[in-house]
Amino acid sequence: EARDAVMRGKSLNDSLLAFAGKSKLTPQTADLGRFVQAWAPFVRRAIPSRIKIEIGVDEGIPPVLIDAAMAESCLLNLALNARDAIEGSGTIRIMLSVIEREHPSGGPPQAWVCLSVADTGSGVPEHLHEQVFQPFFTTRSPGQGSGLGLSRVRGYLEQIGGFVTLSSRVGKGTTIAMFFPVSPVDTREVEGDVPATPAIPEKRKKALVVDDTPAVARVVARMLASLGCDTLIAANGKEAREIINRESGLDLLISDVVMPGESGVDLACDISKTHPSIRIALMSGYSQEKLSAGEGLTEIVFLAKPVSRAQLKAFILTLPEPMP
């Protein structure tokens, strides 16, 4: 009983950390289509035979950045919620597709990998649509649920730059869709956390990674560390400038292009003028021609998303060696 209480406490703590966006994640580039197919047998075993399960995966799904354990927890949570919403027979549909739309907080339309779980259950009243994502809220009977499943899903997705939506009609069913950003980095060349042979063994380079999505910034930093770099992280242009002014000996700056407030392009233009010794690379899904037109960025390297370890290594090798 004591062990069970400890495990329940850990689960509660993990869920609250996820809701607050403070979970310790280990994001990796993954094929979400393979992930869904691999988990299909586990989901089927958790659903009674009276409920039909349909799984559809579109072709050409781009890689996404996920924490495997958290993604498994989210998918299982949604499947079990769908199961509990169905009295008698019904259907659960798990679908994976690419959808182009804006983020709910605004910004230009972009491609998202959407994993949705739909059921033909009892539905959720409209006035409760937002409340279901709050911690400890549940529509189940007392003792039948903690009310932390959907809040954990939302917190996890927000931590990796995604979001979750709910559409539901009473008596018709519910669809919950998880939107994952297409991976801006490719970690599949990195084996665990074991550093590979540094690209520049003679002298460790000092790098600054700028990205408003913490999970992405950490992955890029980890790949740079495996290439022999000491790495710092900033969430925006303001933080980046503070670090650049505080830290001496920065060799390279790697920034995302699209960020709230100041863009990576504006940051790169400014730093290239004030700190010309720092080599700069921009991570972008746009073409170099589109970004550099009229921007005066001819000295800046463009890394096409998803950014791989090989791209970072090639960039590091362009850095001049210090004079002996």
Side-chain angles (χ1 to χ4, degrees), residues 223-255:
M223 288 195 288
L224 287 168
S226 78
L227 292 166
C229 292
D230 296 321
T231 310
L232 302 166
I233 292 175
N236 50 53
K238 180 181 178 182
E239 287 186 14
R241 285 187 176 81
E242 291 174 353
I243 292 174
I244 291 170
N245 292 331
R246 182 180 71 239
E247 297 285 335
S248 60
L250 273 175
D251 298 295
L252 58 147
L253 168 71
I254 299 175
S255 175

Side-chain angles (χ1 to χ4, degrees), residues 44-57:
R44 292 183 190 279
R45 283 200 289 270
I47 307 299
S49 58
R50 60 182 170 81
I51 299 175
K52 181 181 179 182
I53 299 178
E54 298 177 354
I55 297 177
V57 177

Side-chain angles (χ1 to χ4, degrees), residues 174-255:
T174 300
T175 299
I176 295 180
M178 298 185 289
F179 288 83
F180 296 83
V182 174
S183 178
V185 294
D186 190 342
T187 65
R188 287 173 289 188
E189 298 174 24
V190 181
E191 297 181 2
D193 292 317
V194 180
T197 303
I200 312 294
E202 294 83 0
K203 175 184 178 295
R204 292 185 69 84
K205 303 296 182 182
K206 185 181 288 189
L208 173 60
V209 178
V210 188
D211 199 296
D212 60 302
T213 303
V216 172
R218 288 196 296 269
V219 169
V220 175
R222 187 159 64 91
M223 288 195 288
L224 287 168
S226 78
L227 292 166
C229 292
D230 296 321
T231 310
L232 302 166
I233 292 175
N236 50 53
K238 180 181 178 182
E239 287 186 14
R241 285 187 176 81
E242 291 174 353
I243 292 174
I244 291 170
N245 292 331
R246 182 180 71 239
E247 297 285 335
S248 60
L250 273 175
D251 298 295
L252 58 147
L253 168 71
I254 299 175
S255 175

Side-chain angles (χ1 to χ4, degrees), residues 30-314:
D31 181 334
L32 206 52
R34 289 186 179 181
F35 171 85
V36 170
Q37 297 291 3
W39 260 83
F42 296 96
V43 173
R44 292 183 190 279
R45 283 200 289 270
I47 307 299
S49 58
R50 60 182 170 81
I51 299 175
K52 181 181 179 182
I53 299 178
E54 298 177 354
I55 297 177
V57 177
D58 286 355
E59 295 183 357
I61 300 294
V64 296
L65 197 63
I66 63 170
D67 177 285
M70 188 64 77
E72 291 168 2
S73 174
C74 289
L75 179 57
L76 189 58
N77 256 308
L78 296 188
L80 295 180
N81 282 351
R83 176 200 66 186
D84 295 342
I86 298 174
E87 295 183 6
S89 61
T91 302
I92 295 175
R93 296 182 180 88
I94 300 174
M95 308 298 291
L96 185 67
S97 60
V98 177
I99 295 177
E100 185 160 329
R101 58 159 290 172
E102 296 179 358
H103 190 283
S105 63
Q110 66 182 80
W112 301 88
V113 175
C114 177
L115 176 57
S116 64
V117 178
D119 65 66
T120 57
S122 55
V124 179
E126 187 174 355
H127 69 280
L128 297 179
H129 284 192
E130 183 59 30
Q131 292 184 53
V132 298
F133 292 105
Q134 299 302 313
F136 305 113
F137 180 86
T138 179
T139 57
R140 300 178 188 175
S141 302
Q144 297 300 308
S146 65
L148 287 168
L150 291 181
S151 65
R152 190 176 192 179
V153 170
R154 171 182 274 185
Y156 162 61
L157 285 166
E158 289 180 348
Q159 198 168 346
I160 63 170
F163 59 95
V164 60
T165 64
L166 177 147
S167 60
S168 185
R169 292 176 60 192
V170 174
K172 298 294 184 181
T174 300
T175 299
I176 295 180
M178 298 185 289
F179 288 83
F180 296 83
V182 174
S183 178
V185 294
D186 190 342
T187 65
R188 287 173 289 188
E189 298 174 24
V190 181
E191 297 181 2
D193 292 317
V194 180
T197 303
I200 312 294
E202 294 83 0
K203 175 184 178 295
R204 292 185 69 84
K205 303 296 182 182
K206 185 181 288 189
L208 173 60
V209 178
V210 188
D211 199 296
D212 60 302
T213 303
V216 172
R218 288 196 296 269
V219 169
V220 175
R222 187 159 64 91
M223 288 195 288
L224 287 168
S226 78
L227 292 166
C229 292
D230 296 321
T231 310
L232 302 166
I233 292 175
N236 50 53
K238 180 181 178 182
E239 287 186 14
R241 285 187 176 81
E242 291 174 353
I243 292 174
I244 291 170
N245 292 331
R246 182 180 71 239
E247 297 285 335
S248 60
L250 273 175
D251 298 295
L252 58 147
L253 168 71
I254 299 175
S255 175
D256 191 17
V257 168
V258 180
M259 297 185 292
E262 183 181 28
S263 72
V265 172
D266 292 337
L267 174 65
C269 287
D270 185 36
I271 298 303
S272 65
K273 295 174 183 176
T274 59
H275 297 78
S277 63
I278 298 177
R279 288 280 285 156
I280 301 173
L282 291 174
M283 302 181 291
S284 174
Y286 297 105
S287 67
Q288 178 173 346
E289 292 77 13
K290 182 174 181 179
L291 278 174
S292 60
E295 297 288 353
L297 301 178
T298 55
E299 299 300 317
I300 293 173
V301 174
F302 289 84
L303 304 177
K305 294 181 178 180
V307 176
S308 67
R309 183 176 179 275
Q311 287 176 285
L312 293 173
K313 181 176 181 179

